[in-house]
Amino acid sequence: MASDLPQTLGKTLPDAWDYKGRPAERSKTGGWTSAAMILGGEACERLTTLGIVVNLVTYLTGTMHLGNATSANAVTNFLGTSFILCLLGGFIADTFLGRYLTVAIFATVQAMGITVLTISTALPSLRPPKCVNDTGCIPANSKQLTVLYLALYMYALGTGGLKSSVSGFGSDQFDETDPTERKQMASFFHWFFFLINIGSLGAVTVLVYIQDNVGRKWGYGICGCAIVLGLILFLSGTRRYRFKKLAGSPLTQIATVFVGAWRKRHLEMPSDPSFLYDLDVIEEGGKKNKQKLPHSRQFRFLDRAAIKDPETNVIDKWNLSTLTDVEEVKMVIRMLPIWATTIMFWTVYAQMTTFSVSQATTMDRHIGKSFEIPPASLTVFFVGSILLTVPVYDKLVVPIVKKVLKKPNGLTPLQRIAVGLIFSIIAMIAAALCERKRLRAATLHGLVNDPTAQIPLSVFWLIPQFFFVGSGEALTYIGQLDFFLRECPKGMKTMSTGLFLSTLSLGFFFSSLLVSIVHKVTGNKPWLADNLNQGRLYDFYWLLAILSALNFVIFFACAKWYVYKDKRLAEVGIELEELDEPAMH
């Protein structure tokens, strides 16, 4: 045993380095020790982010005195910006900084943003005065809103950079070529999803209660301490981390293929794809830097990027791409219809942190005679349904699917997304019916003209819409992540994560656009009135249900058209093997 110990300790990884730039030793770097630091930091980040978001609409309406539609758009624009900036964060990580520095720097930006937000809630001069009966409510002025939005968008910038890299950096701590560490990596992603939801649970219960009953400055102050603690946890693992070299941004590769195809649009397409510039001549250190991909006939206009131009001797990536580069870009294009049709789910999701919370503020939230649930804490049913759906799916649904449908891995990613989309339609139907019931109760008790009155209708009527969206998120989120990571080219994992997160961003932005259009079109009799009791929020929910149903039909058609990468390559591989067999003899 003694003779084996030095060999074990001295075993290094070929593609990873330690914090000093030396080849990483398997026994001294990576694994669960370093992954735990990353998971702890991410749990703190999720606690902070949801601690800001879930109760933000009540702060904007109740303290800053903004209208319901304006407040909802402010929240969804903040969320949308956070996720769209993941594309920028991924580009910076892949091209310039690497994942470790990107996470560290942007987590620091998050800490600065939450600090400014805490100050803005603590200083009376940065908030409008409280409402009084004789003068009414004075909305926040431009200075107060500037400081608030500066804090929010500084935090959004930090979130975009961090989210783009933290899960990828966590996976870097495990060696995919080692069977044991490959299993540990799978467990890492399960724990990652579990801990971000535990952070969410803490945010919608403890933090929301503190914000509503102790004070916003204390709630946001705790958020600031949490993000700093998460940063300290992350940095404490520096000596244990494994670092990978910069891979270069796949966005550059996509751009070079399109530019090359456009520049050579006048050239005649070769009848035989073997005449296209291929990977066999592109080598680094005697080894091919990518796995060769077979030619496909879809999107053939891009093949021109791999044609050698006889009129020029210049060979660089902007003039000539390999056939494999072209095929990787085609893979991304094939995923785009699925990408586009999953955006609508996140538009529905956005309502859970905006109008559903506004509904809760008007309803009876008492448990017993003394305890009153904070409006934003109703999202605990949303988070709870996520935590419930994951084990039910793994322990109940997967075995049934294996037995009945003979599918060893349970539902496919696209099938999971489809179920999530159906749940979102059901959620909006439930939300519309609940809102009609709430308005009838307000009319019955003569409370239509009083926006601050508590309607004698239990807030638990909102549970179905939270439950179905939460269960839908568990299926859609995991299905999307699995789909984008499985189907993207091997060298584009970071960008595929960015594509996935961009569906969240565009869903939130589409919600803002939809709210603005509906608010403008229904101006005389607004559906989204500042006094919900005088509006027709149920019609807005019906609109979302109809749009979601139409989107599902389009998604279903796209899913039927889509062929999984493994199946496509297996079919082509059989043909190639048959063609190559005589040559081998």
Side-chain angles (χ1 to χ4, degrees), residues 103-229:
V103 171
I105 291 171
F106 282 90
T108 304
V109 174
Q110 277 187 315
M112 294 166 60
I114 190 63
T115 300
V116 176
L117 183 61
T118 304
I119 292 171
S120 75
T121 59
L123 294 180
S125 61
L126 295 178
R127 304 190 309 271
K130 292 183 178 180
C131 298
V132 290
N133 293 330
D134 53 345
T135 59
C137 299
I138 302 174
N141 58 39
S142 58
K143 174 189 172 183
Q144 293 162 342
L145 289 177
T146 298
V147 175
L148 175 65
Y149 290 146
L150 173 66
L152 290 176
Y153 285 96
M154 188 184 297
Y155 190 87
L157 175 62
T159 300
L162 186 145
K163 282 188 178 298
S164 66
S165 299
V166 67
S167 60
F169 188 62
S171 68
D172 287 346
Q173 307 312 307
F174 302 97
D175 180 15
E176 288 187 79
T177 63
D178 180 84
T180 301
E181 291 199 20
R182 189 164 58 247
K183 290 180 181 178
Q184 290 175 340
M185 185 191 295
S187 297
F188 168 80
F189 284 113
H190 280 95
W191 278 105
F192 186 86
F193 186 73
F194 177 76
L195 284 174
I196 63 175
N197 282 291
I198 290 296
S200 301
L201 196 61
V204 302
T205 52
V206 178
L207 280 182
V208 167
Y209 182 84
I210 291 172
Q211 289 170 8
D212 283 3
N213 294 279
V214 181
R216 291 275 175 171
K217 61 183 179 182
W218 293 104
Y220 290 146
I222 293 172
C223 287
C225 293
I227 203 67
V228 170
L229 175 61

Side-chain angles (χ1 to χ4, degrees), residues 292-306:
K292 183 177 177 179
L293 293 174
H295 177 261
S296 63
R297 298 187 63 84
Q298 280 183 315
F299 314 116
R300 289 197 66 203
F301 66 94
L302 294 177
D303 291 348
R304 287 188 170 85

Side-chain angles (χ1 to χ4, degrees), residues 182-437:
R182 189 164 58 247
K183 290 180 181 178
Q184 290 175 340
M185 185 191 295
S187 297
F188 168 80
F189 284 113
H190 280 95
W191 278 105
F192 186 86
F193 186 73
F194 177 76
L195 284 174
I196 63 175
N197 282 291
I198 290 296
S200 301
L201 196 61
V204 302
T205 52
V206 178
L207 280 182
V208 167
Y209 182 84
I210 291 172
Q211 289 170 8
D212 283 3
N213 294 279
V214 181
R216 291 275 175 171
K217 61 183 179 182
W218 293 104
Y220 290 146
I222 293 172
C223 287
C225 293
I227 203 67
V228 170
L229 175 61
L231 180 59
I232 292 171
L233 279 172
F234 178 79
L235 295 176
S236 66
T238 300
R239 291 176 177 269
R240 286 279 317 185
Y241 290 145
R242 294 173 184 171
F243 301 88
K244 302 289 181 75
K245 70 174 183 178
L246 297 179
S249 174
L251 294 176
T252 304
Q253 177 183 330
I254 294 171
T256 58
V257 168
F258 274 94
V259 169
W262 174 256
R263 283 179 173 177
K264 289 178 281 190
R265 63 191 182 278
H266 61 280
L267 297 181
E268 185 178 351
M269 192 79 73
S271 58
D272 189 341
S274 63
F275 290 109
L276 297 172
Y277 187 62
D278 211 348
L279 190 66
D280 289 333
V281 296
I282 304 295
E283 298 187 355
E284 288 181 359
K287 294 183 179 180
K288 294 177 184 178
N289 59 2
K290 286 187 180 180
Q291 179 186 8
K292 183 177 177 179
L293 293 174
H295 177 261
S296 63
R297 298 187 63 84
Q298 280 183 315
F299 314 116
R300 289 197 66 203
F301 66 94
L302 294 177
D303 291 348
R304 287 188 170 85
I307 300 176
K308 284 187 177 181
D309 191 343
E311 296 180 3
T312 178
N313 293 322
V314 178
I315 296 179
D316 63 37
K317 63 183 181 181
W318 292 100
N319 286 288
L320 184 63
S321 299
T322 68
L323 179 59
T324 291
D325 284 339
V326 173
E327 289 301 322
E328 287 185 342
V329 173
K330 288 182 181 181
M331 284 183 179
V332 174
I333 294 174
R334 290 187 193 104
M335 292 191 294
L336 292 182
I338 302 298
W339 168 83
T341 50
T342 54
I343 291 171
M344 191 63 206
F345 176 86
W346 301 105
T347 299
V348 170
Y349 173 97
Q351 312 317 312
M352 298 303 103
T353 55
T354 54
F355 291 116
S356 291
V357 175
S358 296
Q359 284 177 287
T361 61
T362 69
M363 301 171 75
D364 181 9
R365 304 186 305 276
H366 286 91
I367 297 179
K369 294 183 178 180
S370 57
F371 183 74
E372 185 175 41
I373 305 171
S377 286
L378 261 292
T379 51
V380 70
F381 297 105
F382 172 70
V383 177
S385 65
I386 296 173
L387 294 172
L388 179 65
T389 301
V390 173
V392 167
Y393 174 79
D394 287 338
K395 302 299 182 183
L396 186 62
V397 176
V398 171
I400 293 174
V401 171
K402 284 181 179 179
K403 186 175 181 179
V404 177
L405 301 180
K406 308 299 182 185
K407 292 187 176 182
N409 298 317
L411 298 177
T412 65
L414 292 180
Q415 287 171 339
R416 269 190 273 183
I417 294 171
V419 176
L421 293 179
I422 292 172
F423 279 4
S424 70
I425 299 170
I426 297 172
M428 288 299 94
I429 294 173
L433 295 175
C434 177
E435 177 62 8
R436 289 298 298 265
K437 186 175 183 66

Side-chain angles (χ1 to χ4, degrees), residues 507-529:
F508 294 133
F509 283 138
F510 184 61
S511 176
S512 296
L513 176 63
L514 205 58
V515 167
S516 297
I517 292 172
V518 167
H519 198 55
K520 187 173 183 178
V521 171
T522 63
N524 294 329
K525 295 182 179 180
W527 288 6
L528 309 173

